[in-house]
Amino acid sequence: QESGKEYHNCSVQTAPKRYVSDGTPKNCRETQTVKTKNVRSQTTSDTSTQMTKTGCWVSDNEDKIVIPGKYVTADEKFAYMLKQVIVLQSYFRRWKAQKYVNS
């Protein structure tokens, strides 16, 4: 731009930005520390399937047939977990009682 030369890359041709200080300190801890939040980001994932058609044959030898299992309601799951917790507590109490008797 100033020398009269033209470049294909516009960032080379553009003059750099001039730094203007506003008087605030830039090297202290408060200005260099950034408060971040825990943010989950969902990245995009492209998937595709290929179907057999005229001129393109896709083998189905390695296909898996998925059969749905038994549906479990939230109440049934909670009851199962409660039953397992009671069993675990009984084993712990038995171990604790045996430890008390043997000591």
Side-chain angles (χ1 to χ4, degrees):
Q1 165 179 346
E2 295 172 1
S3 65
K5 294 182 181 179
E6 291 186 16
Y7 298 96
H8 292 289
N9 189 345
C10 65
S11 65
V12 174
Q13 194 168 345
T14 308
K17 288 185 176 182
R18 301 190 191 275
Y19 176 74
V20 179
S21 175
D22 58 356
T24 57
K26 304 291 183 196
N27 296 327
C28 67
R29 180 177 177 165
E30 285 75 25
T31 57
Q32 293 181 359
T33 305
V34 177
K35 293 181 182 178
T36 58
K37 294 181 181 179
N38 290 335
V39 179
R40 294 183 183 193
S41 61
Q42 182 67 34
T43 59
T44 59
S45 177
D46 294 333
T47 58
S48 62
T49 58
Q50 188 171 4
M51 303 294 292
T52 301
K53 64 177 188 175
T54 306
C56 179
W57 181 78
V58 180
S59 174
D60 60 353
N61 292 338
E62 296 182 17
D63 287 355
K64 295 179 183 177
I65 298 175
V66 179
I67 300 171
K70 181 182 177 286
Y71 181 77
V72 179
T73 63
D75 293 334
E76 291 172 345
K77 183 176 179 179
F78 180 74
Y80 174 77
M81 289 173 60
L82 183 62
K83 181 181 170 187
Q84 297 302 316
V85 166
I86 292 171
V87 170
L88 186 62
Q89 285 177 346
S90 66
Y91 282 131
F92 175 74
R93 289 178 181 152
R94 177 180 176 214
W95 171 79
K96 196 173 179 183
Q98 284 181 344
K99 188 176 175 185
Y100 177 75
V101 170
N102 292 337
S103 63

